[in-house]
Amino acid sequence: MGAKAGAKYPSLIAAQFALESGWGTALSGTHNYFGIKAAPGESATQHKTREEYGGKSVYITAGFKNFKSPQDAVNHLVNQWYKDYKGYKGVNNAKDAYAAAVMLKQGVFAKSSHYWSPLHKLLNKYSGIRGTQPDNAPL
């Protein structure tokens, strides 16, 4: 689905899926495998979530976007975080999937200061990526 949506590193999308949804067992909204928050007025599911602010972990209740399908969720993720979007340099610009994972944190996709670390571990364990070429194999 990541490749279909235009992600240069679809294995990173698979790693995000595993990390954010507990391998698909803990969705944050309808077909929301990535913890994507809803914008005002969008269909949302309310959940308590842990986030990091100023180096401190806090719990908040947030509205997480509901999607029509898994592909719709992946398309949204890729369009707003992998491709260039509204002044944001998307992670498709990274030299490899590892650098792309770091860029997700720099682009404030995640509130955790160490978000990239578990993504790197998942990439190492399941995809075997070891270079700077775009990966085309799903996990």
Side-chain angles (χ1 to χ4, degrees):
M1 285 189 273
K4 181 179 177 182
K8 186 175 178 183
Y9 306 107
S11 66
L12 181 57
I13 293 199
Q16 284 185 272
F17 158 81
L19 179 64
E20 294 282 352
S21 71
W23 296 93
T25 63
L27 279 62
S28 54
T30 305
H31 301 295
N32 190 337
Y33 301 93
F34 305 104
I36 297 169
K37 291 197 179 104
E42 290 183 317
S43 175
T45 299
Q46 298 294 314
H47 280 290
K48 192 172 188 180
T49 184
R50 184 182 61 82
E51 295 190 354
E52 189 177 298
Y53 292 98
K56 295 182 181 181
S57 183
V58 298
Y59 285 92
I60 65 166
T61 298
F64 291 89
K65 186 172 178 150
N66 294 321
F67 292 96
K68 294 177 184 173
S69 69
Q71 186 66 57
D72 188 36
V74 172
N75 292 346
H76 178 89
L77 178 73
V78 170
N79 287 333
Q80 291 196 356
W81 294 98
Y82 283 66
K83 298 177 181 176
D84 294 346
Y85 179 78
K86 293 187 177 181
Y88 168 72
K89 184 178 178 184
V91 301
N92 274 351
N93 292 295
K95 68 177 182 167
D96 58 38
Y98 295 106
V102 172
M103 283 179 71
L104 285 170
K105 173 54 193 152
Q106 292 169 339
V108 195
F109 174 83
K111 299 293 183 197
S112 169
S113 59
H114 301 288
Y115 183 73
W116 56 269
S117 181
L119 292 176
H120 282 189
K121 288 177 184 174
L122 287 164
L123 289 168
N124 280 333
K125 185 172 183 177
Y126 294 102
S127 69
I129 297 171
R130 296 287 189 279
T132 59
Q133 298 301 314
D135 64 281
N136 294 314
L139 295 180

